[in-house]
């Protein structure tokens, strides 16, 4: 069936060999079979459109593929689908300083965009550990968050215009990069976070902002988790935070061992927070720290004295995911409102210890956004299948705790294949019905990323 692709793509832009299928047919998840029928590399919007028309005519199923750094199986092809890679649509094609807009093809690597912005004297603030390989199209399709959401928001906040090819082959130029446009439903926001299920994101007008002044980093130690949120609100009452991340002692042990890093503080604590703020706010930040020390909320703290030290403190947080990878962690990416956070963490910790006394739990995440990353580490004596099976057993109870607090079962990693069966814990039946109706309008033949999200 995928032979008809040869009419659209020259031999150099279509791959069917086993290595290519294995490489492009997956993302960072490792718990799903990988079995695409081909990988194609379009270079223009018109080629993507022709492919969608062909797919509708011949019943091909298409899986969009960017940097393949996804963590929910959103870019995995398991049933003979055709993977559509944007590796060759990776150019920055426009820059309008007066609008502070840069127009990118979907395959632009996030870090390439960040570096381009900086060279023009601007800043693209969305950042996370995988920015060196993730692509803008995938960041948009999952509404990626990362480490500076508390100050700059999610990817959604930075997309002024979006060109998409819908599942019916329509090319939509959504919002045209306008700041103001009160002409009905903003379809841009339908495609942002749609995980490739409504159409292909092919180009984006990305907003840039001013380069922030030099930043300072603080790492604080906490005896108990509740202290972290008191510290968050105290600091926020005094300064603007660029980041407020947290991680547990076990996370710190894993990342200092893996990356051979110095521990940040003389004594160890159960929890740590990493704060980043403008250097000009250092006096207020130090006063805030003294206050939190006096209140007994924190046990100790360190303030970066150089960019190099700030970078090594950041490694303690940004290196966690990579440090845990050898333990094949079962990941949960949860969010509740910050008010709910202390009690939520207690009940989840209690549930986990009762259910898995023999599993190591690693807590870390963007606590300033109400986003917790809970990683359960695989014991050496359990196979991946057994381990993931046992972790999945607890999901209904875990997601009930999220649902009771009107939280999200997927804060930033997306639903993909991994969380699809649990979507009802965060979306109502009416919402799911509307989402399915929207899918049927934009992708009536179900060619777009089948089986993902819905
Ligand atoms: C983080 C990165 C992905 C992961 O470190 O904030 O979102 O492994 C994560 O959880
Ligand atoms: Zn994260």
């Amino acid at each position: 069936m995928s032979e008809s692709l040869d009419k659209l793509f020259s031999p150099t832009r279509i791959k069917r060999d086993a290595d290519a299928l294995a490489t492009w047919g997956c993302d960072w998840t490792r718990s799903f079979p990988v079995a695409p029928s081909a990988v194609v590399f379009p270079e223009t919007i018109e080629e993507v459109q022709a492919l969608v028309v062909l797919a509708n005519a011949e019943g091909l199923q298409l899986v969009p593929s960017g940097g393949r750094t996804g963590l929910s199986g959103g870019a995995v092809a398991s049933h003979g689908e055709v993977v559509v890679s944007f590796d060759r649509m990776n150019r920055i094609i426009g820059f309008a300083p007066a609008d502070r807009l840069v127009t990118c093809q979907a395959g632009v690597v996030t870090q390439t965009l960040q570096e381009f912005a900086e060279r023009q004297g601007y800043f693209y603030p969305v950042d996370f550990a995988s920015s060196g390989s993730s692509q803008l199209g995938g960041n948009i399709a999952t509404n990626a968050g990362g480490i500076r959401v508390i100050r700059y928001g999610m990817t959604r906040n930075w997309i002024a215009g979006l060109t998409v090819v819908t599942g019916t082959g329509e090319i939509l130029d959504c919002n045209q990069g306008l700041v103001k446009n009160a002409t009905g439903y903003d379809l841009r926001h339908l495609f942002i976070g749609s995980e490739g299920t409504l159409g292909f994101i092919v180009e984006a007008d990305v907003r840039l902002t001013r380069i922030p002044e030099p930043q300072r980093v603080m790492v604080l130690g906490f005896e108990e988790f509740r202290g972290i949120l008191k510290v968050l609100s105290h600091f926020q009452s005094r300064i603007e935070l660029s980041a407020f991340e947290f991680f547990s002692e076990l996370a710190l042990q894993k990342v200092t061992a893996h990356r051979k890093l110095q521990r940040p503080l003389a004594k160890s604590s159960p929890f740590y927070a990493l704060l980043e703020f403008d250097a000009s706010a250092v006096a207020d930040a130090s006063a805030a720290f003294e206050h939190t020390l006096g209140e007994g909320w924190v046990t100790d703290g360190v303030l970066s004295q150089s960019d190099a030290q700030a970078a090594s403190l950041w490694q303690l947080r940004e290196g966690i995911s990579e440090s845990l990878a050898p333990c094949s962690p079962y990941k949960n990416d949860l969010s509740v409102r910050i008010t709910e956070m202390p009690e939520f963490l207690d009940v989840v910790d209690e549930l986990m210890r009762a259910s898995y006394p023999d599993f190591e739990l690693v807590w870390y995440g963007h606590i300033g956004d109400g986003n917790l990353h809970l990683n359960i580490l695989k014991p050496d004596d359990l196979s991946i299948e057994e381990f993931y099976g046992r972790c999945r057993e607890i999901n209904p109870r875990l997601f009930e705790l999220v649902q009771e607090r009107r939280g999200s079962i997927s804060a930033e990693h997306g639903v993909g294949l991994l969380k699809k069966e649990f979507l009802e814990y965060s979306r109502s039946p009416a919402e799911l019905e509307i989402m399915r109706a929207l899918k049927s309008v934009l992708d009536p033949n179900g060619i777009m990323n089948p089986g993902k999200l819905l």
Side-chain angles (χ1 to χ4, degrees):
M1 175 105 77
S2 72
E3 290 64 50
S4 43
L5 294 174
D6 300 292
K7 293 181 217 139
L8 291 183
F9 295 99
S10 65
T12 57
R13 302 230 259 110
I14 183 167
K15 291 183 187 296
R16 293 186 174 92
D17 62 282
D19 285 352
L21 298 182
T23 302
W24 275 276
C26 65
D27 55 19
W28 273 1
T29 52
R30 290 288 173 273
S31 42
F32 304 104
V34 177
S37 57
V39 187
V40 293
F41 299 84
E43 289 180 348
T44 65
I45 295 175
E46 290 67 30
E47 283 183 354
V48 175
Q49 181 182 42
L51 174 61
V52 169
V53 170
L54 177 75
N56 277 291
E58 304 206 2
L60 291 181
Q61 298 191 319
L62 307 177
V63 172
S65 173
R68 292 171 282 118
T69 60
L71 291 155
S72 305
V76 169
S78 303
H79 307 290
E81 304 96 329
V82 173
V83 172
V84 183
S85 167
F86 283 85
D87 287 0
R88 297 175 72 122
M89 286 179 72
N90 63 347
R91 290 177 300 112
I92 291 175
I93 55 178
F95 175 52
D99 297 305
R100 291 207 292 197
L101 286 184
V102 51
T103 304
C104 303
Q105 291 185 311
V108 168
V109 171
T110 314
Q111 188 175 318
T112 304
L113 170 58
Q114 291 166 342
E115 290 165 353
F116 174 87
E118 204 160 340
R119 284 198 302 276
Q120 310 300 328
Y122 290 98
F123 184 54
Y124 178 64
V126 180
D127 195 17
F128 27 75
S130 59
S131 57
S133 41
S134 69
Q135 292 178 10
L136 187 65
N139 296 167
I140 296 169
T142 57
N143 188 26
I147 54 174
R148 296 205 171 83
V149 169
I150 195 168
R151 179 167 184 176
Y152 295 105
M154 311 282 280
T155 297
R156 182 182 300 284
N157 299 63
W158 296 91
I159 306 303
L162 198 59
T163 306
V164 302
V165 179
T166 69
T168 56
E170 294 292 332
I171 297 175
L172 303 182
D173 175 12
C174 303
N175 201 57
Q176 304 90 26
L178 296 170
V179 175
K180 294 189 170 179
N181 179 8
T183 56
Y185 308 135
D186 188 339
L187 299 183
R188 171 183 40 159
H189 289 297
L190 197 51
F191 289 95
I192 297 172
S194 61
E195 299 188 31
T197 59
L198 301 179
F200 286 98
I201 289 165
V202 289
E203 264 176 34
D205 299 318
V206 183
R207 288 196 311 110
L208 301 178
T209 188
R210 292 175 52 251
I211 294 178
E213 61 172 277
Q215 302 288 297
R216 299 290 290 273
V217 175
M218 235 182 221
V219 171
L220 310 176
F222 296 80
E223 278 311 312
E224 53 165 48
F225 184 75
R226 288 181 183 281
I228 290 186
L229 293 155
K230 292 175 189 160
V231 167
L232 170 62
S233 49
H234 182 70
F235 270 82
Q236 283 191 312
S237 70
R238 302 188 65 153
I239 63 169
E240 164 145 49
L241 287 167
S242 305
F244 194 92
E245 299 286 318
F246 102 107
F247 47 90
S248 64
E249 169 61 22
L250 183 53
L252 181 63
Q253 287 170 15
K254 295 288 184 184
V255 75
T256 48
H258 181 75
R259 289 210 174 166
K260 312 231 181 326
L261 295 168
Q262 291 297 318
R263 290 181 63 91
L265 302 171
K267 57 192 280 290
S268 70
S269 306
F271 297 104
Y272 301 88
L274 180 148
L275 296 75
E276 183 178 72
F277 46 84
D278 291 343
S280 59
V282 72
D284 288 337
S286 304
F289 168 66
E290 291 305 329
H291 175 78
T292 61
L293 204 57
E295 291 289 333
W297 298 337
V298 301
T299 52
D300 193 357
V302 62
L303 170 64
S304 64
Q305 299 305 320
S306 67
D307 288 349
Q309 189 186 6
S312 69
L313 290 172
W314 260 116
Q315 280 209 59
L316 299 175
R317 168 61 184 86
E318 292 210 289
I320 295 174
S321 176
E322 166 202 306
S323 310
L324 298 181
C327 313
S328 314
Y330 186 82
K331 293 176 174 294
N332 266 302
D333 162 39
L334 310 169
S335 63
V336 293
R337 289 174 56 176
I338 289 175
T339 323
E340 305 281 354
M341 185 69 75
E343 193 257 349
F344 176 69
L345 191 115
D346 285 348
V347 294
V348 174
D349 224 21
E350 198 182 309
L351 170 69
M352 289 296 162
R353 293 193 189 292
S355 315
Y356 304 123
D358 51 335
F359 288 179
E360 281 189 306
L361 306 181
V362 179
W363 287 103
Y364 62 102
H366 322 277
I367 200 77
D369 316 329
N371 180 189
L372 296 171
H373 292 313
L374 166 60
N375 280 219
I376 309 170
L377 306 189
K378 185 181 81 65
D380 294 339
D381 60 350
L382 278 186
S383 73
I384 280 245
E385 293 70 27
E386 266 175 300
F387 171 60
Y388 280 10
R390 283 193 55 194
C391 291
R392 271 195 290 273
E393 280 163 19
I394 198 69
N395 277 346
R397 182 70 196 107
L398 172 63
F399 294 147
E400 273 167 21
L401 296 174
V402 174
Q403 186 175 35
E404 286 160 13
R405 293 160 182 81
R406 298 169 64 220
S408 174
I409 60 153
S410 173
E412 61 173 4
H413 295 167
V415 174
L417 291 170
L418 199 63
K419 299 290 171 24
K420 177 175 134 180
E421 62 188 293
F422 305 110
L423 204 45
E424 66 200 32
Y425 287 94
S426 289
R427 305 304 296 268
S428 69
E431 285 184 296
L432 290 171
E433 208 37 54
I434 291 167
M435 287 163 72
R436 289 190 189 93
L438 289 167
K439 166 85 174 173
S440 68
V441 168
L442 289 161
D443 177 26
N445 294 322
I447 65 162
M448 288 307 307
N449 220 0
K452 310 305 188 335
L453 178 57
L454 291 173

